[in-house]
Amino acid sequence: MSVPDYMQCAEDHQTVLVVVQPVGIVPEDQFFRIYKRIVSVSQVSIRDSQRVLFIRYRHHYPPENNEWGDFQTHRKVVGLISVTSCSTAKEWPQTSDRFHGQKEVYGSTLYDSRLLVFGLQGDVAEQQRTDVAFYPSYDECPDVEKRVEDFVESIFIVLESKRLDRATDKSGDKLQLLCVPFEKKDFVGLDTDSRHYKKRCQGRMRKHVGDLCLQAGMLQDALVHYHMAVELLRSVNDFLWLGAALEGLCSASVIFHYPGGTAGKSGARKPGVSSAADAGKRHRPGAQEVLIDPGALTTNGISADTSAEIGRAKNCLSQEDIIEKYKEAISYYGKYKSAGVIELEACIKAVRVLAIQKRAMEASEFLQNAVYINLGQLSEEEKIQRYSVLSELYELIGFHRKSAFFKRVAAMQCVAPTIPEPGWKACYKLLLETLPGYSLSLDPKDFSKGTHRGWAAVQLRLLHELVYASRRMGNPGLSVRHLSFLLQTMLDFLSDQEKKEVTQSLENYTSKCPGGMEMINLPDGLKLPPVPFTKLPIVRSVSLLNLPVSLRPHKVKGLLGQGMSTASPFIYSPITMHSRGDERSKKIDFQWVQGDVCEVQLMVYNPMPFELRVENMGLLTSGVDFESLPAALSLPAESGLYPVTLVGVPRTAGNITISGYHTSVFGVSSDCLLEGLVGVKSSGCMVEVVPSLPRLQLCTSLPRSAHLSSEDLSTSVSLQLFNGETQQLTITLENIGTETLNTLELTSKTLSTKEKLFGEFVSWDLQDALSHLPLKSGQSVSIPVNISTKLDFSGQENLLHDLNDDGISVTGLPVSSPLRQVLKPRSENIPVGTDANKNEYNHVKTLEAVLTFKYSGGAGQVEGYYRELSLGVRVDVEPSVFFTRVSTLPATSTRQCHLLLDVFNSTEHELTLSAKNNQDLVLHASECQRMAIQVDKFDFDSMPVTDHDALRLATVRQQEEKRQQVQGGLINSTLDIHWTIISFTESSCPDNPYSATEAEHI
């Protein structure tokens, strides 16, 4: 026997074998449709008896296996059911002849046969025959199952008669020597009268009767016969048949202990009537424990199994003994090279029993033995079947990796070089089934959870084989998917050289079939999920960036609480806060604006040993319509953290969620979701998009400068002015957005300074600009801004030294006088050294101010939003003209006086000094002259006090400062002193810090 039945199990020993085959030309689908109905009759309860007959059907059975029917009767074909199509009466004789020819193949062992004829009608079909059933068509055959049951009962009658015939002890008759095919030539010329020969005949016949009893449903009789056979055959060292008797004993004991079967769910059988009866009587007290003589068993026809209660405890093996007897039987089979198939099947049966007993290690020993059983020259198909069954059995006992190993061997056998047409589809299917055993799945999400499972080297080999098999199948899309999976999940285990080779292969495949994010459906229903390249590049952090300062939207303060007024009657509700906790933790506290470019910064790095080109990288969003503007980048080899900014434009308002990003790497398009990324830091992924607002661009008549350090500004300008000089700055605002500008406001803020400032630093007239509103897209408006610098340069301690160094006489000037003015020192007198020295001699003073333009329009204005545009103005003020001495002389009229001013020009330019009703005075650079001005005396007491309440609350010092400020302003407006430098604009003198004494003289 050369063809093993890998689906054999111990309970098959109690079945009778029926072959179902087509005769002539029968459509395959119709045949298997009928075959399925026939197979449904797997057990039949015998009438007038508690016994059940079990049937095993096969649609293909090698005739040479039938020759072993005497050795084990369940291998003998005892029934034949033929299925044929016959449409006319002319075809019937030929069909009948074919049926008889088919019977002759198994003729020596057949108990009965049936022919099912489909499609024949007429006189022939009306014949009443027991062995032939006629049906008009494959659809009109309601009683097929009933016919099969009748057929099985007829088989049982023959089986029972043979059992009775063999079981009856006919003393004096010469017993036939049963033998297997390879033994026949060895028994030629043996002494048939020897005691040894007779014992052999008796032992083999006892074993044979045990098989018949087991098939006939008499379990306890079978046990008795097997025990007697074992004793007889052991005494004559008939090892092959002794092994068979031991295996029969094991099978009967397995049937007793496991009435549900050992073949697993697919082959599980319903417990028969006799099994149920046995189970009910299993622990019946008082059962006899003696071996009985089978000759005394009842022989009156079809009787119940009367031996059910006799000798059970001693005849039935315990669960542990079953395995020991299996081992002994297999060792005996191993002595015979020709019994390899018997040995292999016995190993498989033992493994199935051990699997139920959960004794995996012992089962693996049987399987290891089965691997090395030599069955001679097997065909490639038989090898594939053998390895596949070994794989299933290892899976059955929980050896998943070993199971995967043999399944992979079976897969490789499908495409062996000796096969003229390699079965790559079968190979691929088997390889897919090996994945769980090697801790592999087809879903990349399983590899993002914690540590790596399984042997990476083996997994890499298997994935490469899947790639190759799918390519040989002619499915490049599958190759791309598996190679992408390999690169994504096994990147950490690839050497630099392997990374290059895999990526080159992937690019070759994707040049023919680009990879995408679609689900791949395989023919057997398996689905291959998409493989996003989250490691090419690896993203470490995601940050949503705020808009530039000039584009950020601001909410009108009066409208901040409008949206919440109807949400809840309570000022604070912990329930509401708790329910929205998750949402708030992700939402960011700034806003984006509809129609404006928004940015998200990713910190990425390239893990590859070569430059990584990422194409079409953009954002994945939800919540609002979003136009992603893809970017392409090239990351250097093993780059380290590298910032990448992705941009896009929200086209509608609402809450937008950044759910991930998309890339195209090596020809594979990937959608990478942030929730699937491991170790990614994110400050939040949701941001509010407010309705669209206009955009203004600011230009000035001065060049731009560095921003002021303390403010977030749109742009900055800087200029240098002499003290008292006024300069006009022209600001041009252009609407570069799509929305119309409806409102415009301008405010200014002078940044904190220690300097005392007289008059307005920045002034403007906005009326002309407002008259041009609304300002449509592309239009512009200009605003003139005046910058005036009037500072007090008095009170610095180094004045005396500066004046003396310049050779100027300052006699009569008190050192403690607050009237000392600061001169610009010569460069050679400035020591090179510490910052303190620099500050001490730095006579240039700095003024800083911020002009803020608030503007709004479009849909954003309706929702209460506006934008701000800030301009920083920095002015470096140099000293110009100041007075070193101020005094008064009486005039000819008591109502007037002469004001004497010692005027000093601290600039490096020649300037002209003029006053009201007075002759101009020319001062050269660093020159000091006296100027006399005749003025009317002032009556300060008659000056009105504007706010009596404010003066009453102020301190004495504040009152004095206020009084001096008012008096100084009156004097300056009366004198109207101006200085002019050629090529410079006319400027006023700085406010004169008159002392109280001089003010009284005036």
Side-chain angles (χ1 to χ4, degrees):
M1 187 167 65
S2 61
V3 184
D5 182 359
Y6 292 102
M7 304 312 295
Q8 281 264 325
C9 49
E11 55 268 25
D12 285 347
H13 282 250
Q14 71 174 344
T15 62
V16 293
L17 180 59
V18 174
V19 173
V20 182
Q21 289 184 337
V23 175
I25 301 174
V26 178
E28 186 177 357
D29 56 335
Q30 299 291 3
F31 170 75
F32 281 103
R33 185 176 160 198
I34 299 299
Y35 179 75
K36 189 175 180 181
R37 292 180 63 182
I38 294 172
V39 169
S40 66
V41 187
S42 59
Q43 59 188 62
V44 175
S45 298
I46 307 303
R47 275 176 280 178
D48 304 326
S49 168
Q50 293 183 346
R51 284 189 270 171
V52 178
L53 189 65
F54 295 94
I55 307 96
R56 189 168 90 259
Y57 295 96
R58 293 289 182 271
H59 57 79
H60 174 73
Y61 194 73
E64 61 267 24
N65 284 14
N66 197 37
E67 296 175 3
W68 288 70
D70 288 338
F71 182 70
Q72 290 176 324
T73 56
H74 71 282
R75 300 182 184 278
K76 183 187 296 184
V77 179
V78 297
L80 172 67
I81 299 178
S82 297
V83 179
T84 186
S85 294
C86 185
S87 55
T88 62
K90 291 182 180 179
E91 297 175 6
W92 169 242
Q94 184 181 7
T95 302
S96 181
D97 291 342
R98 285 177 178 172
F99 173 55
H100 287 295
Q102 204 171 42
K103 284 199 293 184
E104 289 175 3
V105 176
Y106 307 106
S108 60
T109 59
L110 284 182
Y111 292 173
D112 202 354
S113 60
R114 290 288 185 274
L115 175 63
L116 305 181
V117 184
F118 294 89
L120 185 63
Q121 294 178 340
D123 297 338
V124 177
E126 292 174 1
Q127 296 176 8
Q128 296 296 323
R129 296 181 55 173
T130 55
D131 61 337
V132 181
F134 295 96
Y135 297 102
S137 70
Y138 288 99
D139 297 319
E140 300 177 47
C141 48
D143 64 339
V144 166
E145 290 83 0
K146 181 68 175 66
R147 292 263 186 178
V148 173
E149 287 181 11
D150 294 343
F151 169 64
V152 170
E153 287 190 354
S154 70
I155 288 178
F156 178 79
I157 293 171
V158 179
L159 173 67
E160 183 67 8
S161 65
K162 286 184 177 291
R163 182 190 72 81
L164 292 171
D165 184 50
R166 300 289 174 88
T168 305
D169 184 17
K170 298 177 181 178
S171 56
D173 287 358
K174 206 168 188 179
L175 289 174
Q176 173 190 357
L177 178 64
L178 301 173
C179 56
V180 295
F182 72 86
E183 286 181 321
K184 291 178 180 178
K185 60 180 184 298
D186 298 333
F187 290 151
V188 176
L190 279 182
D191 182 7
T192 57
D193 295 325
S194 66
R195 188 176 178 187
H196 187 277
Y197 181 82
K198 289 181 179 178
K199 272 197 171 184
R200 177 176 287 185
C201 291
Q202 289 174 354
R204 292 189 178 189
M205 185 57 72
R206 286 291 180 193
K207 188 265 167 198
H208 180 66
V209 173
D211 287 350
L212 293 174
C213 289
L214 192 59
Q215 285 182 309
M218 302 185 70
L219 180 65
Q220 297 302 329
D221 281 13
L223 286 168
V224 173
H225 285 293
Y226 284 139
H227 273 290
M228 295 183 71
V230 167
E231 297 300 323
L232 288 167
L233 294 169
R234 197 186 296 277
S235 65
V236 293
N237 293 335
D238 191 357
F239 294 119
L240 180 63
W241 286 76
L242 173 59
L246 288 169
E247 189 184 352
L249 192 58
C250 292
S251 299
S253 301
V254 168
I255 292 166
F256 177 78
H257 284 295
Y258 309 107
T262 63
K265 292 181 181 178
S266 59
R269 60 180 62 180
K270 300 172 186 175
V273 176
S274 63
S275 300
D278 289 345
K281 301 170 185 176
R282 191 167 299 166
H283 300 292
R284 181 173 173 179
Q288 298 183 32
E289 298 186 2
V290 294
L291 288 170
I292 64 169
D293 180 6
L297 298 179
T298 178
T299 58
N300 57 343
I302 309 172
S303 62
D305 182 2
T306 55
S307 65
E309 302 176 34
I310 306 172
R312 178 182 295 106
K314 286 192 176 182
N315 294 332
C316 184
L317 301 176
S318 66
Q319 295 183 6
E320 291 74 17
D321 287 343
I322 290 172
I323 304 306
E324 293 303 318
K325 296 302 181 185
Y326 262 126
K327 287 182 181 177
E328 186 181 353
I330 289 168
S331 69
Y332 293 145
Y333 290 150
K335 296 176 182 290
Y336 300 89
K337 186 178 179 180
S338 300
V341 171
I342 306 294
E343 181 186 359
L344 177 63
E345 291 181 0
C347 287
I348 292 173
K349 295 169 195 172
V351 169
R352 295 189 190 278
V353 175
L354 284 166
I356 291 181
Q357 296 180 359
K358 301 190 184 316
R359 294 159 67 180
M361 290 307 295
E362 291 178 74
S364 70
E365 293 175 8
F366 280 95
L367 279 176
Q368 197 65 28
N369 180 62
V371 170
Y372 294 109
I373 295 174
N374 183 15
L375 298 182
Q377 293 295 321
L378 294 177
S379 68
E380 298 299 335
E381 188 175 346
E382 289 169 339
K383 289 179 183 176
I384 294 167
Q385 188 184 14
R386 181 179 186 179
Y387 294 131
S388 298
V389 170
L390 284 171
S391 169
E392 291 171 9
L393 292 172
Y394 272 115
E395 184 72 26
L396 190 65
I397 62 174
F399 282 41
H400 303 297
R401 196 165 57 233
K402 198 92 169 181
S403 167
F405 170 80
F406 280 104
K407 190 148 284 186
R408 181 183 162 277
V409 173
M412 294 299 103
Q413 204 67 49
C414 292
V415 291
T418 54
I419 299 180
E421 294 183 6
W424 286 105
K425 288 186 178 180
C427 171
Y428 178 79
K429 185 175 182 298
L430 287 170
L431 285 174
L432 285 180
E433 294 173 6
T434 66
L435 295 177
Y438 290 120
S439 302
L440 267 176
S441 78
L442 295 171
D443 193 347
K445 292 179 183 176
D446 297 337
F447 285 80
S448 61
K449 302 170 184 174
T451 56
H452 187 89
R453 292 180 63 244
W455 293 348
V458 178
Q459 292 170 340
L460 277 170
R461 176 74 178 270
L462 184 60
L463 288 172
H464 276 297
E465 288 168 351
L466 276 173
V467 171
Y468 185 73
S470 54
R471 182 173 72 84
R472 293 299 299 267
M473 283 166 56
N475 194 333
L478 269 182
S479 301
V480 170
R481 181 59 53 86
H482 289 306
L483 205 51
S484 302
F485 182 87
L486 185 154
L487 194 57
Q488 168 68 17
T489 59
M490 299 290 165
L491 188 64
D492 298 339
F493 303 99
L494 294 174
S495 66
D496 288 354
Q497 183 61 32
E498 287 172 331
K499 288 177 182 177
K500 292 178 182 177
E501 292 173 356
V502 170
T503 52
Q504 286 173 359
S505 298
L506 184 58
E507 286 179 318
N508 290 337
Y509 287 131
T510 53
S511 64
K512 303 170 187 173
C513 180
M517 291 296 292
E518 67 281 351
M519 187 80 73
I520 296 180
N521 297 314
L522 297 177
D524 54 356
L526 193 65
K527 295 183 177 180
L528 291 184
V531 182
F533 277 156
T534 58
K535 291 185 178 180
L536 297 171
I538 296 175
V539 175
R540 277 289 172 248
S541 69
V542 178
S543 303
L544 278 67
L545 302 183
N546 201 348
L547 293 172
V549 178
S550 60
L551 297 180
R552 292 175 189 171
H554 303 274
K555 187 83 169 175
V556 177
K557 289 183 179 179
L559 300 174
L560 281 175
Q562 278 187 355
M564 298 174 63
S565 60
T566 58
S568 170
F570 302 106
I571 296 173
Y572 169 76
S573 171
I575 300 173
T576 307
M577 290 291 289
H578 178 74
S579 65
R580 296 185 180 181
D582 292 339
E583 181 183 349
R584 293 195 176 196
S585 66
K586 292 183 180 179
K587 195 168 181 179
I588 300 174
D589 57 358
F590 57 75
Q591 290 96 21
W592 285 348
V593 178
Q594 173 188 344
D596 284 356
V597 174
C598 306
E599 298 178 330
V600 177
Q601 187 180 71
L602 279 60
M603 296 301 293
V604 305
Y605 74 88
N606 171 20
M608 305 302 272
F610 49 84
E611 185 181 43
L612 181 67
R613 295 189 306 277
V614 184
E615 300 171 356
N616 194 33
M617 190 172 189
L619 294 171
L620 297 176
T621 62
S622 61
V624 304
D625 292 338
F626 188 82
E627 180 188 353
S628 178
L629 305 175
L633 57 140
S634 182
L635 297 173
E638 297 174 347
S639 61
L641 281 180
Y642 191 89
V644 174
T645 302
L646 302 181
V647 299
V649 180
R651 294 303 180 190
T652 56
N655 286 330
I656 185 172
T657 302
I658 305 299
S659 54
Y661 61 93
H662 61 83
T663 61
S664 179
V665 183
F666 305 128
V668 178
S669 299
S670 303
D671 290 347
C672 306
L673 300 179
L674 297 183
E675 63 184 10
L677 301 181
V678 179
V680 173
K681 295 179 181 178
S682 175
S683 57
C685 300
M686 183 187 290
V687 68
E688 182 184 2
V689 178
V690 305
S692 54
L693 289 165
R695 288 182 63 183
L696 284 184
Q697 186 179 55
L698 184 147
C699 300
T700 67
S701 55
L702 293 174
R704 289 187 178 185
S705 67
H707 286 352
L708 307 185
S709 58
S710 59
E711 294 288 324
D712 290 330
L713 303 172
S714 309
T715 185
S716 294
V717 295
S718 62
L719 60 160
Q720 286 185 325
L721 297 178
F722 286 108
N723 193 21
E725 183 180 356
T726 299
Q727 185 166 335
Q728 190 178 77
L729 172 67
T730 302
I731 299 174
T732 302
L733 300 175
E734 182 183 358
N735 185 359
I736 59 172
T738 56
E739 298 293 332
T740 301
L741 179 71
N742 294 328
T743 64
L744 179 64
E745 298 177 22
L746 174 55
T747 58
S748 70
K749 179 178 72 170
T750 302
L751 301 186
S752 58
T753 176
K754 300 176 183 178
E755 309 301 334
K756 190 173 182 181
L757 183 62
F758 297 93
E760 290 188 349
F761 176 36
V762 181
S763 58
W764 62 84
D765 183 7
L766 202 59
Q767 291 305 315
D768 182 58
L770 294 177
S771 66
H772 289 81
L773 298 185
L775 197 67
K776 296 183 178 179
S777 176
Q779 294 181 341
S780 60
V781 65
S782 295
I783 302 172
V785 175
N786 293 320
I787 300 173
S788 300
T789 56
K790 296 179 183 179
L791 293 178
D792 179 6
F793 275 81
S794 65
Q796 298 200 7
E797 294 299 326
N798 55 358
L799 169 67
L800 181 61
H801 304 292
D802 289 338
L803 293 180
N804 283 331
D805 288 344
D806 287 337
I808 301 169
S809 174
V810 289
T811 56
L813 185 67
V815 176
S816 61
S817 170
L819 304 178
R820 290 175 301 155
Q821 301 297 310
V822 178
L823 298 178
K824 188 171 183 181
R826 294 189 297 271
S827 60
E828 61 267 20
N829 291 338
I830 300 175
V832 178
T834 62
D835 291 337
N837 288 332
K838 291 180 181 179
N839 291 334
E840 184 181 353
Y841 289 97
N842 183 11
H843 303 321
V844 176
K845 296 186 178 184
T846 300
L847 290 178
E848 293 181 347
V850 176
L851 297 177
T852 302
F853 297 88
K854 291 183 180 180
Y855 64 95
S856 187
Q861 182 184 8
V862 178
E863 296 292 328
Y865 288 97
Y866 64 92
R867 276 179 166 154
E868 289 185 353
L869 202 57
S870 301
L871 172 65
V873 179
R874 175 191 176 100
V875 181
D876 292 331
V877 185
E878 299 184 22
S880 55
V881 174
F882 55 85
F883 306 100
T884 61
R885 187 181 181 92
V886 181
S887 60
T888 57
L889 288 175
T892 55
S893 171
T894 57
R895 297 177 58 188
Q896 291 183 322
C897 68
H898 291 287
L899 182 64
L900 301 180
L901 302 171
D902 288 354
V903 185
F904 179 74
N905 176 11
S906 66
T907 71
E908 298 175 352
H909 307 275
E910 183 181 292
L911 57 80
T912 302
L913 196 67
S914 61
K916 187 184 291 185
N917 303 323
N918 206 63
Q919 188 178 359
D920 291 350
L921 178 67
V922 177
L923 284 174
H924 298 286
S926 303
E927 183 182 7
C928 184
Q929 289 191 30
R930 179 163 292 178
M931 185 178 186
I933 305 174
Q934 185 173 344
V935 293
D936 294 335
K937 286 187 176 183
F938 295 95
D939 183 8
F940 292 131
D941 294 333
S942 64
M943 292 180 62
V945 178
T946 55
D947 192 348
H948 293 280
D949 294 334
L951 285 175
R952 187 171 62 253
L953 293 173
T955 63
V956 176
R957 182 177 178 183
Q958 289 173 340
Q959 290 179 11
E960 182 64 24
E961 288 179 354
K962 180 68 175 175
R963 188 175 64 81
Q964 287 189 10
Q965 185 177 352
V966 173
Q967 290 175 0
L970 182 59
I971 294 170
N972 282 327
S973 61
T974 303
L975 297 179
D976 192 22
I977 302 174
H978 288 78
W979 55 264
T980 306
I981 298 176
I982 299 172
S983 76
F984 279 66
T985 58
E986 186 179 277
S987 302
S988 64
C989 275
D991 292 340
N992 289 301
Y994 299 102
S995 67
T997 308
E998 282 116 17
E1000 286 176 9
H1001 282 297
I1002 297 172

